[in-house]
Amino acid sequence: MGSAYASTLPQLGTLATKLDRDIWRVSNGMLEIKFFEPGALVPPLEMFDAVRAGAIDAAFSSPGFWGNKVPALNLFAAIPFGPSAQEFLAWIYFGGGQELFNEIYHANGIHSLFCGLIAPEASGWFRKRIRTVDDLKGLKMRFFGLGAKVVNKLGVITSRLTSGDIFVAFENGEIDAAEFSMPAIDMKLGLHRMIKNYYFPGWHQPATLFELMINLKKWESLPASGKAQVEAVCGDNIRYGLAEGEASQFQALKTLRSKGVTIRR
Amino acid sequence: MGSAYASTLPQLGTLATKLDRDIWRVSNGMLEIKFFEPGALVPPLEMFDAVRAGAIDAAFSSPGFWGNKVPALNLFAAIPFGPSAQEFLAWIYFGGGQELFNEIYHANGIHSLFCGLIAPEASGWFRKRIRTVDDLKGLKMRFFGLGAKVVNKLGVITSRLTSGDIFVAFENGEIDAAEFSMPAIDMKLGLHRMIKNYYFPGWHQPATLFELMINLKKWESLPASGKAQVEAVCGDNIRYGLAEGEASQFQALKTLRSKGVTIRR
């Protein structure tokens, strides 16, 4: 299993590595979904094609990664001003979401399972305080997903930097602001040493879903018990992500504040 | 596995029977936790002692059922004005709740796993509209759990009727009001044919947790894979209950309204 997220990242990493461990335990070692760090098998952005072709069996990512291939997949990752975690889950499992999701992936030779969820993201880091919508005009900002389309309409000039490049871009003055993820993860970027305005909560990703993509033929070749094991472990991963995210937000914000960051709404 | 809830009840029933089916599938038939309707093995209120003694292997219930034996267990079921589902889960899995829970149950010869969750309950059915806190004084009301202690202080005279007795108690004038559960479940009581004021949401059970109790020796005798299977399936049951509850509330309230019930806040 390739992963879009390093094992060291809070939430993203624990969800991916927990999956590896739990599948092994639940199947008594009969089924193994081994975690590989991003890029160890194939570059993260090529995982969709690699799973489809069977070059790798599985990948842990977010459906939003493949929005450039199938725009509808953005709706299964995170929706700006969108549903809370439990509203999102209600739609997925009891409102027809799962069926649409299967239809899209099966047409692409992949079976994907919802396999994790993280807490609401922050609006991000801003060099200057934002007081009115006009302050956003001309702002250069790192942004991701559907949220970028929203702020573009307000005049924000967005770029899609990876986590490693954000710090340097701030330093060089290439950007004035950046959203990345939730507080416990954002803290890892180290931006609080340079930028003091942190806006929370965000509006662009109230809940974000993650997935385990498996090559469709590989999935179909699993015995019924193997399928049930993957389904149960992925379902439990959603429970875990929800609890972990809720538990970590407060502590992370408190730590940021103790480091001189002003938390703004 | 004895059950405190009939298989026909929405949420309560689906959570209990799903557990039976999933354990069988995930373990490839090696492990079976067979669902029995309430009372088929032992009376529901005797399940705690029956599991402890090993007379039955397991039981599906809510920790609140055993509040008369161990008052602290009320805190693991539902807390008036208490946490939302995700706050509750954060405390259980990342805030020390699970450890306290194990300590209590292990001292009683039982291993219990959190194994389901339902949506916020309604404040219930009221013959007359409630306009001020004074209207509660002297009101005779069916009530359950910690919430009953709260309304007692406001002058409500509470009784703890089972689901089957509530309708008759209203008819005979023995009670003026009753809370039971969430809209999709309350509808099954048929009270809407007689009582037209329904208050939603409630304040007494914002989220309710369910458990799978297993005889401690039986639990310890399971292989590591068996334990992992039960844990994964129970964790997934929490994900399922959260999604199902969120999906069913709106429809149930709409149906009640179409039957002439006034939904009040």
Side-chain angles (χ1 to χ4, degrees):
Chain A
M1 174 181 80
S3 173
Y5 311 102
S7 59
T8 51
L9 285 176
Q11 284 237 274
L12 306 173
T14 50
L15 290 172
T17 53
K18 179 176 178 294
L19 180 57
D20 173 336
R21 193 190 63 230
D22 283 358
I23 284 285
W24 196 88
R25 291 177 62 222
V26 162
S27 71
N28 202 16
M30 301 285 282
L31 188 61
E32 200 174 352
I33 300 190
K34 198 166 152 45
F35 174 88
F36 286 93
E37 295 287 351
L41 299 176
V42 292
L45 292 176
E46 292 172 20
M47 294 195 306
F48 183 95
D49 292 327
V51 171
R52 171 162 54 184
I56 59 176
D57 292 331
F60 187 81
S61 59
S62 170
F65 268 94
W66 323 117
N68 57 337
K69 294 177 192 293
V70 188
L73 285 179
N74 280 317
L75 296 174
F76 297 92
I79 303 173
F81 307 106
S84 67
Q86 53 216 81
E87 289 164 348
F88 216 169
L89 297 176
W91 175 64
I92 295 286
Y93 296 108
F94 294 89
Q98 178 82 68
E99 291 76 7
L100 289 171
F101 190 68
N102 286 346
E103 195 181 314
I104 291 170
Y105 270 110
H106 289 181
N108 282 285
I110 296 171
H111 183 73
S112 187
L113 298 102
F114 292 101
C115 202
L117 184 148
I118 68 166
E121 295 210 345
S123 277
W125 304 91
F126 291 77
R127 205 186 291 275
K128 288 191 190 141
R129 189 163 172 188
I130 302 297
R131 290 174 191 275
T132 72
V133 173
D134 283 342
D135 291 346
L136 294 171
K137 234 170 236 156
L139 204 75
K140 289 172 286 174
M141 182 166 185
R142 187 269 179 192
F143 225 115
F144 177 83
L146 287 178
K149 294 198 181 183
V150 176
V151 291
N152 286 340
K153 300 214 165 170
L154 295 171
V156 175
I157 301 149
T158 55
S159 59
R160 194 171 151 174
L161 301 164
T162 61
S163 60
D165 296 330
I166 296 175
F167 193 95
V168 178
F170 260 116
E171 227 170 22
N172 298 344
E174 286 166 34
I175 54 174
D176 312 304
E179 70 76 39
F180 184 63
S181 188
M182 47 174 290
I185 300 174
D186 281 353
M187 212 159 39
K188 290 263 171 182
L189 300 179
L191 297 176
H192 52 272
R193 282 180 265 144
M194 191 163 41
I195 309 294
K196 298 300 180 190
N197 291 299
Y198 190 54
Y199 282 78
F200 183 89
W203 48 268
H204 61 305
Q205 296 189 210
T208 308
L209 284 167
F210 297 88
E211 65 178 349
L212 171 66
M213 298 190 293
I214 298 177
N215 175 276
L216 185 57
K217 281 196 183 130
K218 187 90 190 174
W219 172 256
E220 285 169 349
S221 74
L222 288 178
S225 58
K227 287 179 185 151
Q229 287 159 3
V230 176
E231 285 168 352
V233 166
C234 277
D236 183 45
N237 234 20
I238 287 172
R239 184 267 315 160
Y240 187 89
L242 190 71
E244 188 187 33
E246 189 75 19
S248 64
Q249 297 283 63
F250 179 69
Q251 190 54 49
L253 288 170
K254 228 168 73 173
T255 306
L256 285 173
R257 186 170 283 172
S258 77
K259 295 182 188 244
V261 171
T262 306
I263 314 292
R264 303 192 186 279
R265 296 180 69 104
Chain B
M1 174 181 81
S3 174
Y5 311 102
S7 60
T8 51
L9 285 176
Q11 284 237 274
L12 305 173
T14 47
L15 291 172
T17 53
K18 177 175 178 298
L19 180 57
D20 172 336
R21 192 192 62 229
D22 284 357
I23 284 287
W24 197 89
R25 290 178 62 222
V26 161
S27 72
N28 202 16
M30 301 285 283
L31 188 61
E32 200 173 354
I33 300 190
K34 197 167 153 46
F35 173 88
F36 286 93
E37 294 287 350
L41 299 175
V42 291
L45 291 176
E46 293 173 19
M47 293 194 307
F48 183 94
D49 292 326
V51 171
R52 170 161 56 184
I56 59 176
D57 292 330
F60 187 81
S61 59
S62 171
F65 267 96
W66 324 116
N68 56 337
K69 294 178 193 291
V70 188
L73 285 179
N74 280 316
L75 296 175
F76 297 92
I79 303 175
F81 306 105
S84 68
Q86 53 216 78
E87 289 164 348
F88 216 169
L89 297 176
W91 174 64
I92 295 288
Y93 296 109
F94 295 88
Q98 178 83 67
E99 291 77 8
L100 289 171
F101 190 68
N102 286 346
E103 196 182 314
I104 293 170
Y105 269 112
H106 289 183
N108 283 286
I110 296 171
H111 183 72
S112 187
L113 298 102
F114 292 101
C115 201
L117 185 149
I118 67 166
E121 295 209 345
S123 278
W125 304 93
F126 290 77
R127 204 186 293 275
K128 287 189 189 143
R129 190 165 171 186
I130 302 296
R131 289 175 192 274
T132 72
V133 172
D134 284 342
D135 291 345
L136 294 172
K137 234 169 234 156
L139 203 76
K140 290 172 285 175
M141 183 166 184
R142 187 271 177 191
F143 225 115
F144 177 84
L146 286 179
K149 294 197 182 186
V150 177
V151 291
N152 286 339
K153 301 214 165 172
L154 295 171
V156 175
I157 302 148
T158 54
S159 60
R160 194 171 150 173
L161 301 164
T162 61
S163 60
D165 295 332
I166 295 175
F167 193 96
V168 178
F170 260 116
E171 225 170 23
N172 297 345
E174 287 166 33
I175 55 173
D176 311 305
E179 70 76 41
F180 184 63
S181 187
M182 49 175 287
I185 300 175
D186 280 354
M187 213 161 36
K188 290 261 169 181
L189 301 179
L191 297 176
H192 51 271
R193 281 179 265 144
M194 190 163 41
I195 309 294
K196 298 300 180 191
N197 291 299
Y198 190 56
Y199 282 77
F200 183 89
W203 48 269
H204 61 305
Q205 296 188 210
T208 308
L209 285 167
F210 297 87
E211 65 179 349
L212 172 66
M213 298 190 294
I214 298 178
N215 176 275
L216 184 57
K217 281 194 183 131
K218 187 90 191 173
W219 172 254
E220 285 170 348
S221 75
L222 288 178
S225 59
K227 286 178 186 152
Q229 286 159 3
V230 176
E231 284 167 355
V233 165
C234 278
D236 182 47
N237 233 20
I238 287 173
R239 185 268 316 160
Y240 187 90
L242 191 71
E244 187 187 34
E246 190 74 19
S248 63
Q249 296 283 63
F250 179 69
Q251 190 54 51
L253 288 170
K254 229 169 71 174
T255 306
L256 284 173
R257 186 170 282 171
S258 77
K259 292 180 189 248
V261 170
T262 305
I263 314 292
R264 301 190 187 279
R265 296 181 68 106

